[in-house]
Amino acid sequence: MIRTKILGLGSYVPERVVTNEELAYLDDQHVRQETVQTETTDEWIQKRTGIKERRYVPNDGQWATSDLALHAAKRALTDANIEPTEIDCIIFGTLSPDFHFPGTAVVLQKKLGIAEKTSCACFDIRQQCSGFVYGLQMADAFIRTGMYKRILLIGAELHSHSLDYTTRGRDVMVLFGDGAGAMILGPVESDDQRSGVMYTSAHADGNGAMDLYLKIFDISRRPYVDYNPKDRETNKDMYPQMDGKRVFLNAVRGMVMSTQSALAKTGLSWDDIQWFVPHQANLRINEKVVEVAKIPAEKVLNTIQFYGNTTAATVPLTIDHWRQQGKVKKGDRILASVFGSGFTWGAAIFTL
Ligand code: COA
C-alpha cells in the first residue's frame, strides 16, 4: 500500500529581530523612529499573547514571500537529499502572496530554477493559518493516488510590510512575524497504518469570514481599495482587521475539537505521540487548548515567543526550530492542530 512519507523538512526566518519594545517605535515602513508611534508595551504583549519578539525582513524592497519560501525550500531539499528538479508538484500556502495573481508557487518554481526543466504542477492555497494542514491533506491524497511523487509543501508569510504600525492597528500588528517552513513529501510502500502521514482533517465555517480579514482587494468595489496619503482613516482597508475575542474563542474550540477527533479516529493516545504542535497565534490560546483537551504539557511545542504568528508557516517552522534544538527527532510522531481566518481549522498526525 502506498503511504505518504515526510522526506525532508526546512525553515527560514529573517535575521532582523524586532522586540516588543522596538515595535512601539516603528513607522509605517517598519523603520525605527526616535518617538513612540504605537501605544503598546512589552508587558501587555507578553501577558496577552506570550510573544517576546518576531523576525522581519529588511526593508530594502528586495524581499517577497517567495524569497522566504526559497530559503526554506532549499533547506528541506537538502534535508531530503533530493534535487529541485525532482519536485513534480508545489503546494504553496500563504495569505501574503507576492502578487494578486499569478500565485506564488509559480514564482517559487522559477526561483528554484526548475521552471524550464520540470513544468511541475503549482498550487496556491488560501487557508491562512490553517494552510499547512490543508496542504498536507492535499499532498497526502496526491501521493497516495500516485498523482505526484515529490511534493514541495510550503507555508510562507511576509507580514511586516502590511501591518498598521499605529495605536489603531496595535491589536493585530503585535501578533505577526515573517517566516517560512517547508516539507518534501513522497510515496513509500508500507502496510504500517501508523507510518508517515497517518491522519489529516480540514474544516471551515464561512460565518467567521469577516472576523479576520484583509480587504486590500475587494472585487465588488472599484477602486478596490481607497487610499489617501493625507488621511489614514481612509486607508483602513489596507490593513488586516480582526475581532480578536471571536477569533480567540473559535480558535480554542476548533483546535480542541480537531485534536480530540484526531485521537478518536486513529485510536491513538498521548502515549503514542511525542509532540503536540499547535498553530502559533497566541500562547494563551495554546495553553487553553492544552488544558481543555488534557494534553500532557511536556509534549507541547511552541515558538510564538520568538517568531510571533507566521500564519501558514507556524507548524513546519516550530517543528524545525525544536529539531535544531535537538528536542524533536526523526521518527517522532506529531499531532498538529491549526486554526485560521475563514474560519478554517484542522489537524494532522504524522511521523517525521
Ligand atoms: N498594546 C496595548 N494595549 C492594547 C493592544 C496592544 N498591542 N491591543 C489592544 N490593546 C488594548 C485595547 O485597546 C483594550 O483597551 P481598552 O480596554 O482601553 O478598550 C485593551 O487592550 C483590551 O483589549 P482586548 O481586545 O479586550 O484584549 P484581549 O484580551 O482580547 O486581547 C488579543 C487581544 C488580540 C491579544 C486577543 O483577542 C487575541 O489574541 N485574539 C486572537 C487573535 C489571533 O490569534 N489571531 C490570529 C488567529 S489565526
Side-chain angles (χ1 to χ4, degrees), residues 40 44 48 129 170-171 174 242 244-245 247 279 281-282 339:
T40 189
W44 191 96
R48 303 286 177 119
C129 301
R170 64 184 178 179
D171 57 331
V174 301
M242 177 176 76
K245 286 200 165 51
V247 173
H279 169 52
N282 182 323
F339 183 89

Side-chain angles (χ1 to χ4, degrees), residues 169-188:
R170 64 184 178 179
D171 57 331
V172 178
M173 180 265 282
V174 301
L175 302 176
F176 292 96
D178 302 338
M183 260 183 197
I184 311 287
L185 300 126
V188 63

Side-chain angles (χ1 to χ4, degrees), residues 1-4 140 143-144 187-195 197-198:
M1 184 187 179
I2 296 178
R3 299 187 59 80
T4 305
D140 184 37
I143 284 169
R144 282 196 287 130
V188 63
E189 271 294 336
S190 171
D191 290 328
D192 179 359
Q193 298 286 334
R194 294 186 167 199
S195 69
V197 178
M198 190 178 171

